Amino acid sequence: MRTVTVVGASLAGLHAARELRAQGFDGRLVIVGDEPHRPYDRPPLSKDFLTGRADEDQLALTDAEETAELDAEWLLGVRARGLDARGRTVLLDDGRTVSTDGVVVATGASARRLPGDGLAGVHTLRTLDDARALRAELTRGPRRVVVIGGGFIGAETASSCAALGHTVTVVEAAPLPLVPQLGAEMAAVCATLHRRGGVELVPGASVAALRGTVAATSVALSDGRDLPADVVIVGIGATPNTAWLAGSALVLNDGVLCDDGCVTSLPRVVAVGDVARVGGTRAEHWTSATEQPRVAVANLLAGRTVECATAVPYFWSDQYGARLQFAGRRREGDTVRIVEGVVADGAPADDGFLALYERDGRTTAVLSVDRPRPFMRARRELVRAEREQPTGGQAQPTDKGVQPTGGRTRSAAL
């Protein structure tokens, strides 16, 4: 390959570019990004950046020295609108085309929105520009803030708003926030962090409408309640950015379907990060964006699937002065055992706890609140045990999903 194009100037896209150079690709490297910014770190947007403890220069993921070493063509502030595999071309919104031999899809995801979120005072938090707008609004004096969605972004944003002295309410449609990730028992424990931080949690409630004419004035719930609001933050998940790939022959289903090595159904095209459904799973986590590119690039350069992404899922979240860390694959029916610390009356002690999820005598996942060292030991043990488990074949994308291939490799020539 003489040219490789990375579509998405994201964390995953940057890591893919780094891996291309580290793994010996010395050809033309093009990086396309729809935002005008060079790659930046997103996790601080809902935390230190929002509260003013970090500035934009601290978010940057590259410096002048690395930019020179990558020797890439940066096409920023322009959105990809199509992939022509037959013509080996990435089509851009401004009419330009990029001829290429290989493609890394790293276009990430966009925040889901609610009807009526065009009102002033209604925000999502996904990009640097989102964070800029929200931070500016939160500096205008005390505000009544309603956060819709109690997931990680919602909880972290609520925590930051509370730290800034605002009155905060979190509305969560599920009976408890984070149930899909943590299970009901541990989700109930972590929900107490909201109350500990002085934030009102309204679980099991759905939003009927955002009220207001020019600016938002309240959030109407389906049970008839009306929550006054000066600022509304919508944190109800994200949708993978795949619209530009429609008609490309890639298999799309809540992301770009890939085998276990991030290889797609099109030759010489791999996908990484929030947009990629790898081996049947799409994981919107920082670790996926940083670990998948090494495997994806190895397979892209090899022209077939020679490596699989086998990392144990891991994520963390900072809320109300506490750090939550989770690793593994929890399933319904797993039992939970507190092995360090104390959980009393459904609330963690001030010094946190460490919990193991278990099934058939085997640890499947580990959760900690403010127990980083014990957590890292348990995570290492989990990774070691995972590597010792027998593995099946790779997964290959099809129009019906991801099907096992029995470990065969695939040809890939765009």
Side-chain angles (χ1 to χ4, degrees), residues 49 85 87 99 112-113 125 130 148 158 187 191 219-220 245 263 280-281 299 315 317 319 323 341 344 380:
F49 182 80
S99 297
R112 288 195 180 98
R113 298 183 176 276
L125 184 55
D130 292 340
I148 302 172
V219 175
L245 294 168
V263 175
T281 301
N299 294 332
F315 61 81
S317 180
Q319 306 172 19
R323 166 154 287 199
R380 285 194 296 269

Side-chain angles (χ1 to χ4, degrees), residues 44-408:
L45 294 181
S46 58
K47 299 183 280 287
D48 288 350
F49 182 80
L50 201 59
T51 58
R53 293 194 299 267
D55 293 322
E56 290 185 24
D57 58 351
Q58 295 171 270
L59 303 178
L61 293 172
T62 58
D63 55 23
E65 181 179 357
E66 182 182 28
T67 299
E69 289 176 353
L70 283 177
D71 188 24
E73 298 177 35
W74 294 83
L75 305 181
L76 299 178
V78 60
R79 191 181 300 273
R81 67 173 177 85
L83 174 62
D84 181 0
R86 184 185 298 275
R88 301 186 180 188
T89 302
V90 175
L91 313 175
L92 305 181
D93 254 356
D94 62 4
R96 286 180 290 174
T97 61
V98 180
S99 297
T100 191
D101 302 302
V103 175
V104 180
V105 179
T107 43
S110 297
R112 288 195 180 98
R113 298 183 176 276
L114 287 174
D117 70 356
L119 293 169
V122 180
H123 299 262
T124 57
L125 184 55
R126 182 79 187 183
T127 69
L128 175 57
D129 290 340
D130 292 340
R132 284 173 172 170
L134 181 56
R135 186 163 85 163
E137 180 133 21
L138 294 174
T139 59
R140 297 175 186 166
R143 288 285 192 270
R144 297 168 299 178
V145 178
V146 175
V147 179
I148 302 172
F152 295 112
I153 294 298
E156 291 172 358
T157 306
S159 171
S160 295
C161 291
L164 290 170
H166 302 293
T167 302
V168 184
T169 302
V170 173
V171 178
E172 168 58 43
L176 287 167
L178 303 178
V179 168
Q181 295 86 358
L182 307 181
E185 184 178 351
M186 289 295 99
V189 172
C190 292
T192 63
L193 296 175
H194 290 283
R195 293 188 285 273
R196 184 181 292 179
V199 169
E200 182 182 1
L201 176 62
V202 183
S206 59
V207 174
L210 303 179
R211 300 199 187 282
T213 51
V214 176
T217 56
S218 68
V219 175
L221 302 183
S222 56
D223 62 6
R225 283 180 289 178
D226 203 63
L227 306 177
D230 306 302
V231 177
V232 178
I233 302 167
V234 181
I236 55 174
T239 303
N241 293 324
T242 59
W244 70 282
L245 294 168
S248 67
L250 283 175
V251 182
L252 307 177
N253 182 9
D254 185 37
V256 179
L257 267 65
C258 307
D259 68 10
D260 290 336
C262 304
V263 175
T264 74
S265 54
L266 276 179
R268 295 288 190 195
V269 180
V270 297
V272 293
D274 291 356
V275 74
R277 180 167 289 277
V278 179
T281 301
R282 190 171 67 85
E284 295 182 17
H285 298 305
W286 190 91
T287 46
S288 299
T290 57
E291 293 174 358
Q292 289 173 356
R294 183 192 65 78
V295 171
V297 166
N299 294 332
L300 178 65
L301 297 178
R304 57 195 178 95
T305 302
V306 296
E307 291 192 44
C308 293
T310 58
V312 172
Y314 165 68
F315 61 81
W316 77 92
S317 180
D318 296 316
Q319 306 172 19
Y320 307 104
R323 166 154 287 199
L324 282 66
Q325 293 173 283
F326 183 93
R329 297 177 176 86
R330 183 200 73 84
R331 293 209 312 253
E332 289 300 321
D334 288 358
T335 58
V336 182
R337 182 164 58 95
I338 306 295
V339 294
E340 289 195 23
V342 176
V343 173
D345 297 324
D350 290 339
D351 60 349
F353 67 91
L354 180 74
L356 300 182
Y357 294 75
E358 297 171 330
R359 184 188 321 123
D360 299 329
R362 184 173 64 87
T363 299
T364 59
V366 56
L367 166 70
S368 83
V369 174
D370 289 334
R371 293 281 176 127
R373 289 185 179 179
F375 173 83
M376 293 309 296
R377 289 195 297 269
R379 182 188 176 196
R380 285 194 296 269
E381 178 62 24
L382 193 64
V383 170
R384 184 195 63 78
E386 182 93 356
R387 288 173 178 166
E388 293 176 355
Q389 291 293 312
T391 57
Q394 297 163 4
Q396 180 169 338
T398 74
D399 59 356
K400 296 181 180 179
V402 178
Q403 303 295 333
T405 66
R408 292 192 300 271

